[in-house]
């Protein structure tokens, strides 16, 4: 007799009880290091980097200050001219927005990350001072964590 693995009936789009995460933080997701590119990086090169690492989002940083400027999705890269710079298709972060900026660090509880994903597709993980991009996490990363986490 075979026993089927229990299916996850709730996803992160429907709230899970905090007990499901059992004190886990973003660090427990074991994210790969972020891959940051510059606005002048050719789209073709960015496509190759995204494909090689199977990343859906690449962060875009200032070449000299390493300040986070925005991001580019692999979907946007596929539709663009490979010879043009990433700056032509990147999504820029608007630091003047009225909406507050939510800092996501390795110490952020997964309950908070789940709440963040209610309105966002991905999160940029930084140090507490927001000086360094450490990684990028998606809803899929959180769902995968829940799938592999023992009951």
């Amino acid at each position: 007799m075979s026993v089927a693995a229990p299916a996850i009936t709730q996803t992160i789009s429907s709230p899970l009880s905090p007990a499901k995460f059992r004190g886990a933080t973003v660090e427990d997701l074991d994210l790969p290091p972020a891959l940051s590119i510059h606005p002048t990086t050719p789209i073709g090169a960015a496509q190759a980097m995204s494909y090689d690492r199977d990343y859906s989002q690449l962060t875009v940083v200032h070449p000299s200050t390493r300040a986070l400027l925005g991001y580019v999705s692999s979907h946007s890269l596929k539709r663009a001219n490979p010879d043009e710079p990433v700056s032509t298709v990147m999504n820029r972060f608007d630091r003047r927005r009225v909406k507050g900026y939510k800092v996501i660090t390795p110490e952020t509880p997964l309950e908070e990350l789940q709440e963040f994903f209610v309105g966002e597709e991905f999160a940029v993980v930084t140090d507490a001072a927001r000086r360094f991009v450490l990684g990028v996490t998606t809803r899929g990363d959180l769902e995968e964590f829940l799938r592999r986490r023992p009951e």
Side-chain angles (χ1 to χ4, degrees):
M1 180 169 116
S2 67
V3 178
I8 294 178
T9 56
Q10 291 181 304
T11 64
I12 60 159
S13 58
S14 59
L16 296 167
S17 72
K20 179 69 176 174
F21 296 113
R22 295 186 293 232
T25 64
V26 170
E27 186 171 28
D28 295 314
L29 295 177
D30 292 326
L31 300 170
L35 174 62
S36 296
I37 57 177
H38 299 151
T40 56
T41 302
I43 288 172
Q47 277 179 316
M49 289 183 258
S50 173
Y51 179 78
D52 288 346
R53 292 168 180 84
D54 196 27
Y55 284 5
S56 59
Q57 313 287 338
L58 300 177
T59 53
V60 181
V61 298
H62 190 278
S64 59
T65 65
R66 308 276 304 155
L68 184 60
L69 301 175
Y71 69 95
V72 63
S73 69
S74 59
H75 180 69
S76 295
L77 293 171
K78 288 177 190 173
R79 296 182 296 141
N81 178 344
D83 297 323
E84 292 192 10
V86 165
S87 62
T88 62
V89 295
M90 70 181 266
N91 297 295
R92 295 182 185 278
F93 291 127
D94 185 358
R95 298 184 188 279
R96 297 169 294 163
R97 285 193 311 183
V98 176
K99 181 180 171 185
Y101 178 85
K102 172 71 177 157
V103 178
I104 304 292
T105 70
E107 294 78 29
T108 300
L110 292 184
E111 296 88 349
E112 287 183 32
L113 184 63
Q114 177 188 17
E115 291 172 17
F116 180 81
F117 283 147
V118 170
E120 304 293 338
E121 293 294 318
F122 71 98
V124 177
V125 182
T126 66
D127 63 310
R130 300 184 325 192
R131 295 188 63 204
F132 303 103
V133 176
L134 304 175
V136 174
T137 184
T138 65
R139 292 176 179 179
D141 295 323
L142 188 54
E143 289 171 351
E144 179 61 29
F145 175 82
L146 292 174
R147 272 193 285 282
R148 71 175 195 257
R149 182 123 180 168
E151 291 293 323

